Amino acid sequence: MPKGPDYQEIEGLIIPKAFSPKCLRDSLRYKPKDNDVFIVTFPKCGTTWVQHIVINILKRGLPPESFEEFQRLSPFMELTGTGIVETMPRPGAIKTHLPFNMQPYSLQAKYIYVTRNPFDCCVSLFHHSRTLPVYQYSDGTFEDFFEIFINGETEFGDYFDHLLSWYEHRNDPNVLFLVYEKIKADTRAAVLKIAKFLGQEYEDMLVKDEQMMENIIRQTSVEYMKKSTNKHFGSFFGSVHSDEEIDNENIPEGLKHVLKYMKSINFKPQSEFTFVRKGIVGDWKNHFTQKQRERLKRKCIEKFKGTEIPEFWPDILK
Ligand code: PPS
């Protein structure tokens, strides 16, 4: 039996064991407001990057200043719970990792879905699970993790079902469907597309102000985010919080739950989290054996049959 990270299953969905089951249940029942924007992904497909692009656009060229501000403007609903989502400043963007059939959905809300090739996604989720202590997976092997991934048994379920569930909605007027590798190849075009989707005034603002556009591209680059975002995440998750600190009313319910969970597993403080890791296309080549490559490729061919998805990643799936 391959050993996976510490997970739990709530309402048929696999989530990290550190998450509050109540927050997940509340999230599944959240009623979207008309001006809600959601950023939806399978884990490790470019969520944090697109969250930062959206925040930089909404803040008219300024990046988030702290972890707390980032959370306020773009909470991860299944993690934080719905309390902070109900009261967050709008416009903002709510992060979820839900497949379409579980996503709180309204035609009056907007959804940005981001996908990434499954090879790099698998590698990225492997490192994420090994690095964050809550998964108790620091000794996890890629060999084991690969089996969990290809069997659709990682957090948030099966990569392929997730992608296919949203692919069907790629042309809906309230859905913007993005591909990580395409954002990487032409970030400027992607930023403009996202701005237009958020509202014509944001696209006009960027077309008029070249300096703002350049600032946003720089402030959402992997080099910039490796420094700022990793520091922000480390400032919150890197230390052991006292009971009084956890009781602070400004900390969302689900984050309190995670902080308590971290204490219960004797988490050791660490100053930085490599949440933003390499941010490149093709790191999978440093991890996959030939056999693993062939198996995942076969699965892609079978699952993506009859769709245009293979065209997203011609180099890998040709
Ligand atoms: S999560 O936990 O699901 O929210 O993770 P997510 O943000 O979706 O994915 C993390 C991967 O995205 C990379 N990343 C970036 N790539 C390019 N540019 C920027 N600015 C950027 N920010 C984050 C991050 O490094 C993870 O990929 P890997 O391959 O692990 O480096």
Short mmCIF file of all heavy atoms in Angstrom, two decimals, residues 41-49 51 76 95 97 116 120 123-125 127-128 180 184 220-223 225-226 274-280 283, ligand 1:
data_model
loop_
_atom_site.label_atom_id
_atom_site.label_comp_id
_atom_site.label_asym_id
_atom_site.label_seq_id
_atom_site.Cartn_x
_atom_site.Cartn_y
_atom_site.Cartn_z
N THR A 41 -9.28 25.84 -8.58
CA THR A 41 -8.22 25.01 -9.17
C THR A 41 -8.21 23.65 -8.51
O THR A 41 -8.70 23.50 -7.39
CB THR A 41 -6.82 25.59 -8.87
OG1 THR A 41 -6.65 25.62 -7.45
CG2 THR A 41 -6.62 26.97 -9.43
N PHE A 42 -7.61 22.68 -9.19
CA PHE A 42 -7.12 21.50 -8.50
C PHE A 42 -5.82 21.98 -7.83
O PHE A 42 -5.11 22.82 -8.40
CB PHE A 42 -6.84 20.36 -9.50
CG PHE A 42 -6.48 19.08 -8.81
CD1 PHE A 42 -7.47 18.25 -8.31
CD2 PHE A 42 -5.15 18.72 -8.63
CE1 PHE A 42 -7.14 17.09 -7.63
CE2 PHE A 42 -4.82 17.55 -7.96
CZ PHE A 42 -5.81 16.74 -7.46
N PRO A 43 -5.49 21.48 -6.62
CA PRO A 43 -4.30 22.01 -5.92
C PRO A 43 -3.03 22.02 -6.79
O PRO A 43 -2.81 21.12 -7.60
CB PRO A 43 -4.13 21.02 -4.75
CG PRO A 43 -5.51 20.50 -4.50
CD PRO A 43 -6.19 20.47 -5.83
N LYS A 44 -2.27 23.07 -6.59
CA LYS A 44 -0.94 23.26 -7.21
C LYS A 44 -0.97 23.58 -8.70
O LYS A 44 0.00 23.33 -9.41
CB LYS A 44 -0.01 22.06 -6.96
CG LYS A 44 0.06 21.55 -5.54
CD LYS A 44 0.07 22.60 -4.48
CE LYS A 44 1.34 23.36 -4.28
NZ LYS A 44 1.22 24.30 -3.13
N CYS A 45 -2.09 24.11 -9.18
CA CYS A 45 -2.18 24.43 -10.61
C CYS A 45 -2.03 25.93 -10.90
O CYS A 45 -2.30 26.37 -12.01
CB CYS A 45 -3.51 23.90 -11.16
SG CYS A 45 -3.50 22.10 -11.31
N GLY A 46 -1.64 26.72 -9.90
CA GLY A 46 -1.42 28.14 -10.17
C GLY A 46 -2.35 29.06 -9.40
O GLY A 46 -2.48 30.25 -9.73
N THR A 47 -2.99 28.53 -8.36
CA THR A 47 -3.96 29.30 -7.57
C THR A 47 -3.36 30.58 -7.01
O THR A 47 -3.89 31.69 -7.23
CB THR A 47 -4.44 28.46 -6.35
OG1 THR A 47 -4.26 27.08 -6.61
CG2 THR A 47 -5.85 28.79 -5.99
N THR A 48 -2.28 30.43 -6.25
CA THR A 48 -1.71 31.57 -5.52
C THR A 48 -1.24 32.65 -6.50
O THR A 48 -1.35 33.85 -6.23
CB THR A 48 -0.52 31.09 -4.65
OG1 THR A 48 -0.87 29.83 -4.07
CG2 THR A 48 -0.19 32.08 -3.56
N TRP A 49 -0.71 32.21 -7.62
CA TRP A 49 -0.25 33.14 -8.67
C TRP A 49 -1.43 33.98 -9.16
O TRP A 49 -1.38 35.23 -9.18
CB TRP A 49 0.36 32.33 -9.80
CG TRP A 49 1.07 33.11 -10.86
CD1 TRP A 49 1.42 34.43 -10.83
CD2 TRP A 49 1.54 32.58 -12.10
NE1 TRP A 49 2.07 34.76 -11.99
CE2 TRP A 49 2.16 33.64 -12.77
CE3 TRP A 49 1.50 31.31 -12.70
CZ2 TRP A 49 2.74 33.46 -14.04
CZ3 TRP A 49 2.07 31.13 -13.95
CH2 TRP A 49 2.68 32.20 -14.60
N GLN A 51 -4.35 34.36 -7.72
CA GLN A 51 -4.88 35.18 -6.61
C GLN A 51 -4.10 36.50 -6.54
O GLN A 51 -4.68 37.57 -6.36
CB GLN A 51 -4.70 34.46 -5.26
CG GLN A 51 -5.69 33.34 -5.01
CD GLN A 51 -5.36 32.63 -3.70
OE1 GLN A 51 -4.41 31.86 -3.61
NE2 GLN A 51 -6.14 32.90 -2.66
N PHE A 76 -9.23 31.24 1.34
CA PHE A 76 -9.39 29.87 0.83
C PHE A 76 -10.56 29.27 1.63
O PHE A 76 -10.40 28.87 2.77
CB PHE A 76 -8.07 29.12 1.08
CG PHE A 76 -8.06 27.65 0.75
CD1 PHE A 76 -9.08 27.04 0.01
CD2 PHE A 76 -6.99 26.87 1.15
CE1 PHE A 76 -9.04 25.69 -0.29
CE2 PHE A 76 -6.94 25.51 0.85
CZ PHE A 76 -7.97 24.92 0.14
N LYS A 95 -10.88 31.75 -3.02
CA LYS A 95 -10.19 30.55 -3.54
C LYS A 95 -10.95 29.30 -3.13
O LYS A 95 -11.34 29.17 -1.97
CB LYS A 95 -8.77 30.51 -2.97
CG LYS A 95 -8.10 29.14 -3.03
CD LYS A 95 -6.70 29.17 -2.42
CE LYS A 95 -6.15 27.76 -2.23
NZ LYS A 95 -4.78 27.75 -1.67
N HIS A 97 -10.91 24.77 -4.06
CA HIS A 97 -10.35 23.66 -4.82
C HIS A 97 -11.44 22.65 -5.19
O HIS A 97 -11.18 21.47 -5.33
CB HIS A 97 -9.30 22.92 -3.97
CG HIS A 97 -7.96 23.59 -3.90
ND1 HIS A 97 -7.36 24.20 -4.97
CD2 HIS A 97 -7.07 23.69 -2.88
CE1 HIS A 97 -6.17 24.67 -4.60
NE2 HIS A 97 -5.97 24.39 -3.34
N ARG A 116 -3.23 23.04 -14.94
CA ARG A 116 -1.80 22.90 -15.20
C ARG A 116 -1.56 21.45 -15.60
O ARG A 116 -2.33 20.56 -15.19
CB ARG A 116 -1.05 23.21 -13.89
CG ARG A 116 0.45 23.18 -13.98
CD ARG A 116 1.07 23.39 -12.60
NE ARG A 116 2.48 23.70 -12.69
CZ ARG A 116 3.28 23.87 -11.65
NH1 ARG A 116 2.80 23.77 -10.42
NH2 ARG A 116 4.56 24.15 -11.82
N ASP A 120 3.54 18.15 -13.80
CA ASP A 120 4.08 19.15 -12.87
C ASP A 120 3.18 19.32 -11.65
O ASP A 120 3.67 19.59 -10.55
CB ASP A 120 4.25 20.51 -13.58
CG ASP A 120 5.48 20.53 -14.48
OD1 ASP A 120 6.46 19.83 -14.17
OD2 ASP A 120 5.46 21.24 -15.50
N VAL A 123 4.10 16.61 -9.17
CA VAL A 123 5.39 16.91 -8.52
C VAL A 123 5.23 18.04 -7.50
O VAL A 123 5.74 17.97 -6.38
CB VAL A 123 6.45 17.30 -9.60
CG1 VAL A 123 7.67 17.94 -8.96
CG2 VAL A 123 6.84 16.07 -10.40
N SER A 124 4.48 19.05 -7.87
CA SER A 124 4.30 20.20 -6.99
C SER A 124 3.53 19.79 -5.72
O SER A 124 3.89 20.18 -4.61
CB SER A 124 3.54 21.30 -7.74
OG SER A 124 3.43 22.45 -6.95
N LEU A 125 2.50 18.95 -5.90
CA LEU A 125 1.71 18.51 -4.73
C LEU A 125 2.53 17.58 -3.85
O LEU A 125 2.38 17.57 -2.62
CB LEU A 125 0.41 17.83 -5.22
CG LEU A 125 -0.67 17.56 -4.18
CD1 LEU A 125 -1.01 18.79 -3.34
CD2 LEU A 125 -1.94 17.03 -4.84
N HIS A 127 5.82 17.86 -3.35
CA HIS A 127 6.70 18.73 -2.53
C HIS A 127 5.90 19.47 -1.46
O HIS A 127 6.35 19.62 -0.33
CB HIS A 127 7.47 19.70 -3.41
CG HIS A 127 8.59 19.03 -4.14
ND1 HIS A 127 9.72 18.59 -3.51
CD2 HIS A 127 8.74 18.69 -5.44
CE1 HIS A 127 10.52 18.00 -4.38
NE2 HIS A 127 9.95 18.05 -5.57
N HIS A 128 4.72 19.95 -1.84
CA HIS A 128 3.85 20.64 -0.89
C HIS A 128 3.57 19.72 0.32
O HIS A 128 3.69 20.13 1.48
CB HIS A 128 2.55 20.98 -1.63
CG HIS A 128 1.46 21.58 -0.82
ND1 HIS A 128 1.33 22.93 -0.62
CD2 HIS A 128 0.41 21.00 -0.16
CE1 HIS A 128 0.25 23.16 0.12
NE2 HIS A 128 -0.32 22.01 0.42
N TYR A 180 -2.02 27.28 -16.81
CA TYR A 180 -0.79 27.76 -16.15
C TYR A 180 0.33 28.02 -17.19
O TYR A 180 0.96 29.08 -17.17
CB TYR A 180 -0.34 26.70 -15.14
CG TYR A 180 0.96 26.97 -14.40
CD1 TYR A 180 0.95 27.52 -13.12
CD2 TYR A 180 2.20 26.64 -14.96
CE1 TYR A 180 2.14 27.75 -12.43
CE2 TYR A 180 3.38 26.87 -14.28
CZ TYR A 180 3.34 27.43 -13.01
OH TYR A 180 4.53 27.64 -12.33
N LYS A 184 2.27 31.55 -18.15
CA LYS A 184 3.73 31.63 -18.08
C LYS A 184 4.30 32.14 -19.42
O LYS A 184 5.19 32.99 -19.44
CB LYS A 184 4.24 30.21 -17.78
CG LYS A 184 5.65 30.08 -17.44
CD LYS A 184 5.85 29.96 -15.94
CE LYS A 184 7.31 30.15 -15.68
NZ LYS A 184 7.60 30.60 -14.34
N THR A 220 3.99 39.95 -9.53
CA THR A 220 3.41 38.60 -9.52
C THR A 220 4.37 37.60 -10.17
O THR A 220 3.98 36.47 -10.47
CB THR A 220 2.04 38.57 -10.26
OG1 THR A 220 2.24 39.04 -11.60
CG2 THR A 220 1.02 39.44 -9.57
N SER A 221 5.62 38.03 -10.37
CA SER A 221 6.61 37.11 -10.93
C SER A 221 7.01 36.11 -9.85
O SER A 221 6.87 36.38 -8.65
CB SER A 221 7.85 37.87 -11.39
OG SER A 221 8.52 38.40 -10.25
N VAL A 222 7.50 34.98 -10.29
CA VAL A 222 7.87 33.95 -9.32
C VAL A 222 9.02 34.43 -8.42
O VAL A 222 9.03 34.14 -7.22
CB VAL A 222 8.16 32.60 -10.05
CG1 VAL A 222 9.43 32.65 -10.85
CG2 VAL A 222 8.20 31.46 -9.05
N GLU A 223 9.93 35.22 -8.97
CA GLU A 223 11.06 35.72 -8.17
C GLU A 223 10.53 36.62 -7.04
O GLU A 223 10.93 36.49 -5.90
CB GLU A 223 12.04 36.56 -9.03
CG GLU A 223 12.73 35.81 -10.15
CD GLU A 223 11.82 35.59 -11.35
OE1 GLU A 223 10.87 36.38 -11.55
OE2 GLU A 223 12.03 34.59 -12.09
N MET A 225 7.42 36.75 -5.80
CA MET A 225 6.55 36.02 -4.88
C MET A 225 7.33 35.04 -4.00
O MET A 225 6.90 34.74 -2.88
CB MET A 225 5.43 35.32 -5.65
CG MET A 225 4.35 36.32 -6.10
SD MET A 225 3.00 35.58 -7.02
CE MET A 225 2.45 34.26 -5.95
N LYS A 226 8.46 34.53 -4.51
CA LYS A 226 9.29 33.65 -3.66
C LYS A 226 9.71 34.39 -2.40
O LYS A 226 9.76 33.83 -1.33
CB LYS A 226 10.55 33.22 -4.42
CG LYS A 226 10.45 31.87 -5.07
CD LYS A 226 11.77 31.48 -5.68
CE LYS A 226 11.56 30.39 -6.71
NZ LYS A 226 12.74 30.11 -7.51
N THR A 274 8.27 27.29 1.78
CA THR A 274 8.48 27.38 0.33
C THR A 274 7.17 27.06 -0.39
O THR A 274 7.07 26.07 -1.10
CB THR A 274 9.59 26.41 -0.14
OG1 THR A 274 9.39 25.16 0.52
CG2 THR A 274 10.96 26.94 0.09
N PHE A 275 6.20 27.90 -0.17
CA PHE A 275 4.89 27.72 -0.80
C PHE A 275 5.04 28.01 -2.29
O PHE A 275 4.55 27.27 -3.14
CB PHE A 275 3.91 28.68 -0.15
CG PHE A 275 2.51 28.22 -0.28
CD1 PHE A 275 2.02 27.23 0.55
CD2 PHE A 275 1.68 28.76 -1.24
CE1 PHE A 275 0.72 26.77 0.41
CE2 PHE A 275 0.38 28.32 -1.39
CZ PHE A 275 -0.10 27.33 -0.55
N VAL A 276 5.75 29.10 -2.57
CA VAL A 276 6.13 29.35 -3.96
C VAL A 276 7.49 28.66 -4.10
O VAL A 276 8.45 29.05 -3.46
CB VAL A 276 6.26 30.86 -4.25
CG1 VAL A 276 6.64 31.10 -5.70
CG2 VAL A 276 4.97 31.59 -3.90
N ARG A 277 7.56 27.62 -4.91
CA ARG A 277 8.76 26.78 -4.94
C ARG A 277 9.59 27.14 -6.17
O ARG A 277 10.26 28.14 -6.19
CB ARG A 277 8.32 25.30 -4.92
CG ARG A 277 9.41 24.30 -4.56
CD ARG A 277 8.82 22.89 -4.59
NE ARG A 277 8.28 22.54 -5.89
CZ ARG A 277 8.94 21.87 -6.82
NH1 ARG A 277 10.16 21.45 -6.61
NH2 ARG A 277 8.37 21.60 -8.00
N LYS A 278 9.48 26.34 -7.28
CA LYS A 278 10.27 26.66 -8.47
C LYS A 278 9.49 27.53 -9.45
O LYS A 278 10.04 28.40 -10.09
CB LYS A 278 10.71 25.38 -9.17
CG LYS A 278 11.78 24.61 -8.44
CD LYS A 278 12.35 23.53 -9.35
CE LYS A 278 13.46 22.77 -8.67
NZ LYS A 278 13.89 21.61 -9.49
N GLY A 279 8.21 27.20 -9.60
CA GLY A 279 7.38 27.97 -10.53
C GLY A 279 7.83 27.85 -11.97
O GLY A 279 7.83 28.83 -12.71
N ILE A 280 8.21 26.64 -12.36
CA ILE A 280 8.65 26.45 -13.75
C ILE A 280 7.79 25.38 -14.43
O ILE A 280 7.04 24.66 -13.76
CB ILE A 280 10.14 26.01 -13.83
CG1 ILE A 280 10.37 24.71 -13.04
CG2 ILE A 280 11.06 27.12 -13.34
CD1 ILE A 280 11.72 24.07 -13.29
N ASP A 283 9.40 20.60 -14.35
CA ASP A 283 10.16 20.00 -13.24
C ASP A 283 9.89 18.50 -13.13
O ASP A 283 10.66 17.77 -12.52
CB ASP A 283 9.81 20.73 -11.93
CG ASP A 283 10.81 20.41 -10.82
OD1 ASP A 283 12.00 20.18 -11.14
OD2 ASP A 283 10.41 20.36 -9.64
S1 PPS B 1 -2.15 25.68 -3.80
O1 PPS B 1 -1.58 25.09 -2.56
O2 PPS B 1 -3.06 24.73 -4.43
O3 PPS B 1 -2.76 26.98 -3.57
O4 PPS B 1 -0.89 25.86 -4.75
P1 PPS B 1 -0.90 26.70 -6.10
O5 PPS B 1 -0.69 28.12 -5.79
O6 PPS B 1 -2.06 26.34 -6.94
O7 PPS B 1 0.36 26.14 -6.87
C1 PPS B 1 1.67 26.28 -6.42
C2 PPS B 1 2.57 26.16 -7.61
O8 PPS B 1 2.53 27.40 -8.36
C3 PPS B 1 3.81 27.93 -8.41
N1 PPS B 1 3.77 29.41 -8.42
C4 PPS B 1 4.12 30.15 -9.47
N2 PPS B 1 4.52 29.82 -10.71
C5 PPS B 1 4.83 30.84 -11.57
N3 PPS B 1 4.76 32.14 -11.22
C6 PPS B 1 4.36 32.52 -9.99
N4 PPS B 1 4.31 33.80 -9.67
C7 PPS B 1 4.03 31.51 -9.05
N5 PPS B 1 3.59 31.52 -7.77
C8 PPS B 1 3.45 30.23 -7.41
C9 PPS B 1 4.50 27.39 -7.16
O9 PPS B 1 5.89 27.53 -7.20
C10 PPS B 1 4.03 25.96 -7.20
O10 PPS B 1 4.62 25.21 -8.26
P2 PPS B 1 5.97 24.36 -8.10
O11 PPS B 1 6.05 23.55 -9.36
O12 PPS B 1 5.82 23.52 -6.88
O13 PPS B 1 7.07 25.35 -8.01
#
